[in-house]
Amino acid sequence: TASLVLAGSRSVLEGEDVDMQGISRGCTYHVLQAVESGGQRMVRLACPLVSKGKWAGTCPLAQSNEIKHLEKTAAQPPRIDFENAFWMPFGRFLSLFDVAVFSQRRRG
């Protein structure tokens, strides 16, 4: 089986003025990985539109050597790696994305 997780960023139709910090409104992002380390939860995302949509915020754990170790030892390493992939704290992910879609394709 193959699994795919996508997340939809907040749309332009919403009335709230939210600083998206580089996230493109109303776009679909691939959720590549989710990890927890030292009580911090993070997600690794990528926008298929290579020229835009990269988050401009900071994620201190993503700068550490520990995240590199987590990426290598993940139970489900990402099947696709994007040039513009980035890490984001899970709490920030929840505030910038409205929808998550989980898909699983079975063979046969």
Side-chain angles (χ1 to χ4, degrees):
T1 62
S3 299
L4 177 67
V5 181
L6 302 172
S9 60
R10 290 179 158 226
S11 73
V12 246
L13 302 175
E14 293 180 12
E16 294 179 49
D17 186 26
V18 176
D19 179 8
M20 299 296 284
Q21 293 183 302
I23 298 295
S24 297
R25 286 186 175 272
C27 282
T28 302
Y29 283 72
H30 292 262
V31 179
L32 303 175
Q33 286 178 284
V35 297
E36 181 173 4
S37 177
Q40 294 182 52
R41 294 185 296 172
M42 300 183 313
V43 294
R44 187 168 181 237
L45 304 166
C47 181
L49 308 171
V50 177
S51 63
K52 64 178 188 173
K54 192 166 182 177
W55 184 55
T58 59
C59 188
L61 188 58
Q63 309 303 321
S64 71
N65 287 333
E66 185 176 354
I67 197 64
K68 304 225 183 296
H69 174 72
L70 289 171
E71 287 174 355
K72 289 178 184 174
T73 60
Q76 281 281 332
R79 295 174 191 267
I80 304 170
D81 203 9
F82 290 89
E83 268 183 38
N84 65 340
F86 57 92
W87 286 98
M88 174 185 284
F90 188 69
R92 191 67 180 138
F93 170 76
L94 291 177
S95 71
L96 296 177
F97 291 84
D98 292 315
V99 179
V101 178
F102 302 86
S103 172
Q104 188 172 27
R105 185 181 75 200
R106 297 174 190 234
R107 295 182 187 173

